[in-house]
Amino acid sequence: NTVKILLFFWLAFNVVIYVYYGIINKSDPIENEPVIFIEKWSVKNGDNHNQTISSTLPQGIKSGEYIFFDTRKDVSVYINGELRKDFIEKRDVNIPGGASKRFIMSVPLTESDSGAEIVIERKTVLDYDRNIPEIFISTRAGGVSYLLKVNGVSVVLSFIVLIFSFVSFVVSIGLRIIMKQRIDMMYGALGIFTIAAWLITDSFLAQFIFGTNHINGFLSFMFCLIIPLGLAVYLFTIQRGRYKKTMSFVLLIAALNTIIWPILHFTGILPFYNIINLLNSVLVILAVSGIVILIVDALRGNTVSYHYTFIGFLGFLVGCLVELINIIFKLYFIRETVLIVMGLAFLLTFIVIQQVHDLRQISMEKQHAIDISEAKTRFLASMSHEIRTPINAILGMNEMILRENDNKEIEEYSRSIKSSGKMLLMLVNDVLDFTKIESGRLEIKEADFLMPEMLIDVISLISERADEKELLLKAEVIDEVPNEIISDEFRIRQILVNLMNNAVKYTDTGAITLKVGGDYTDEGYELRFTVEDTGKGIHKEEQEHLFEAFSRANEKENANIEGTGLGLAIVKSIVTSMNGEIGVESEYGVGSKFWVKLPVRYENKEPLDKDFMEHREEQGKTSEVSSFTAPNAVVLAVDDNQSNLTIVRLFLKQNGIIPDICSSGEKAIELCKKKKYDLLLLDHMMPEPNGIETLHTIRNSEDSLNRDTKAVVLTANAIAGSAQMYKKEGFDGYLTKPLDSKVLEETVKSMLPAEKIIEYRKVVENELSPVENSMNESGDSLKYKLKSIKGLNYDMALMHCGSEEDLLREIISDIVKDSPVCTQRMRNSLENKDIAAYGIDVHSIKSLMATIGLKDFSERAKKHEFAAKDNDTGFIYSDSNSFIKDYLELCEKLGEAVK
């Protein structure tokens, strides 16, 4: 409604202005000076386009008067046989190509010139130039007054449109920067600015007032050439490329029109004034093309998205067409260019209205998207923990089975659980990251890995489902493939699991075959996988949509088969991100063949054993674990919780690293001014300054010795987008709590300078000797005492501590030691209504309780953390006393257990 009212008001205002000032009130603001026209002239045409015209000046000429006439080329004015003034193009014009347009020449007169003979010798290049120009006598003020009457309205309105279009262009650029949205008004305003500039420079009035005769004429042609290009770009933009071929042709013609003619003029081959009719004909073709495209778009119902601009654009192009016909056929039924100027104002008005309408729509859609995104983020924040926790528990318990079991058959089952569980955990982490999947920006992390181990894991994941359907599962090595590959192992697993899982789903009888091959290239190795099945096959018309999200082949027939249709879309995104190719060959009723090509690197050319599946049992007997020591590495660990610092310190101790530790961002900043570190480990959720603020200060402080030191953030935030957010803030790595000792070790190794790492390799037997201290369940053992605490999962706690019971004991001791200070700090925060500080403390309690296996209490702390983030003071104050009391009682029990 607001847009419609604005439109009505603006149109009504334009009509009132035109009727009142253009028709009713014709008073001239400049005092009228007499204008005397010389009507009778004798004409003599000579050779080489020369022409001489002569006449007699009227009586009563006064000093300060001039004789005015328009001309283009060389001209000399004689009064009573004496040269009064001349214009020589080669002498007076320094623009490449010379004078391009007619201009007003003024010749001064005196009282003694009354009744004198005047002779004008001039050079004419066009037939039009041979016509006697309009010659009159007046003062400068009189000349301005006359030219204002002739084309003043056009020039003044053009100036107004020029100013408004420039303002619109600047505003649109500002909106584009602020809103980060495509602003179509920018292109429209630029096109209108060009047309208004052409109208002004084309006018005798502007040349006469500013005295820029020849530059005005030159710019007039240049602006005229740019006009169709600007309008074509704008039309292509608002139609969102619907008529790409047609508009590409129009843009090509407009671009050539802009480039060719200036080159011909500057080189003197073909001046501008010689191609005016041809130029106008090209403009007619382009205007007609624009009108046709707009009408076709309207008939197809596509103008809904730009209906305001459509009206303005169509009206303007029709006005331009009328103006061009008027010029080409010399009809001159409209003396001034008022029509085209009004069309410009009309177009600009509708462009602004359209943009206001579009921005309002964008704002509404953006708010809707924000609401959905916030709801999704809240959901993921909760589900991330809820899904990961049981998977971690499954993997942890399964690890204990592997360590304590002596039965080979159970060991094989357990290894299948381990492989499946790890894959499930990685898949859950990836699927939870919706933004990464939707944008197609998947992280590719390259590392070396063994092909047989990866392929065996993939076959193991698929074999159970294949066995259920009595399908034969085969793997064949068809070329010489490097045994050790450098690429993203998880992504390749994900590709193969999706493709093979699909093959099993859609195959009822026969076999599934995985073929592995490739070729050595100059850059490395092109790895090829082919998954063949004897299933239902895919119709030809469905194959082109197979890799689209939520698309499923033959949906009616396959309605009973589980799946969302996301698998192949994810595979396509991964393959594309790895600079690979994927395709399908299928015949309905016969089967399908999916192939993938991936560029990878290799460690050496030792070939993959073609019988690798026969050595499957040996793969599980021992595993080689890479490790390192770095006794000379200098590491700083920062966390406001002493227990978390203990965990980091003891984990790093295994690698010979003794880190500096501190409990606040302020202390860390001071230490970084005194000492150069190789690596910074910073907790995120600390009292002010938090981890991010601390890093920014370290990076930006001139006194800091660690402006370029690598930094890793420690956080319990596991929701989608966290890694990207921390990377944007300047962190080089990202570790989630509870910390995994192996992941910490790998991260630290990748971040430390290579010269400080001493590598060694150790063979770890799968059948580990039981640790008598941890397995002893007598009444005095730590295990027995901790298991007696309700809700404490001892096995999970031990897993988080790298199966080191001494480390678990030390962590619990630190928690107990810190509990009185922590609870007093929480009470002070609640008393001072500092909910943010309270949230930081319960955040620490949440991660620590999860580390020592107290899942239920960790969840309770999590509720308080989320309540603090949402400023839910009602819940916090109603439950905080009970929460703090239970926390102290729990710490007392833990203290008794570790005595």
Side-chain angles (χ1 to χ4, degrees), residues 473-534:
L473 196 59
K474 299 186 294 183
E476 299 176 3
V477 180
I478 58 176
D479 296 310
E480 185 176 312
V481 180
N483 190 64
E484 194 166 356
I485 293 291
I486 301 173
S487 189
D488 192 323
E489 180 183 6
F490 167 61
R491 297 301 178 192
I492 295 177
R493 283 173 185 259
Q494 198 173 359
I495 291 168
L496 293 179
V497 168
N498 268 292
L499 293 179
M500 295 186 71
N501 191 45
N502 256 21
V504 172
K505 280 197 296 184
Y506 294 100
T507 304
D508 296 325
T509 58
I512 310 295
T513 305
L514 170 62
K515 293 183 179 180
V516 185
D519 295 301
Y520 286 96
T521 64
D522 295 337
E523 292 77 23
Y525 188 83
E526 184 182 70
L527 186 61
R528 289 196 298 271
F529 296 107
T530 305
V531 177
E532 298 180 1
D533 65 61
T534 56

Side-chain angles (χ1 to χ4, degrees), residues 786-838:
L786 290 178
K787 280 193 170 185
S788 67
I789 297 176
K790 185 178 179 180
L792 192 149
N793 186 328
Y794 172 82
D795 296 323
M796 179 63 71
L798 195 64
M799 185 192 74
H800 287 153
C801 297
S803 301
E804 297 286 341
E805 194 173 85
D806 289 340
L807 175 58
L808 176 59
R809 184 189 297 274
E810 190 166 347
I811 290 170
I812 293 174
S813 297
D814 282 342
I815 292 172
V816 172
K817 182 180 177 182
D818 188 53
S819 60
V821 178
C822 179
T823 52
Q824 186 56 49
R825 196 164 55 236
M826 285 192 290
R827 287 192 177 109
N828 291 340
S829 298
L830 292 171
E831 186 177 339
N832 297 327
K833 297 183 179 180
D834 190 349
I835 303 301
Y838 177 78

Side-chain angles (χ1 to χ4, degrees), residues 55 245 280 301 527 536 665 680 738 817 835 896:
S55 186
K245 290 183 179 179
N280 286 332
L527 186 61
K536 298 178 180 181
L680 306 175
K817 182 180 177 182
I835 303 301
E896 290 294 325

Side-chain angles (χ1 to χ4, degrees), residues 359-373:
L359 289 175
R360 184 169 175 270
Q361 289 291 111
I362 290 170
S363 179
M364 292 170 64
E365 290 170 5
K366 185 177 180 181
Q367 187 57 50
H368 181 62
I370 290 171
D371 293 341
I372 292 174
S373 178

Side-chain angles (χ1 to χ4, degrees), residues 118 140 304 326 334 536 682 715 771 863 888:
I118 179 169
R140 287 229 176 242
V304 177
N326 177 42
I334 302 176
K536 298 178 180 181
L682 300 175
T715 177
V771 182
K863 289 179 181 178
L888 283 172

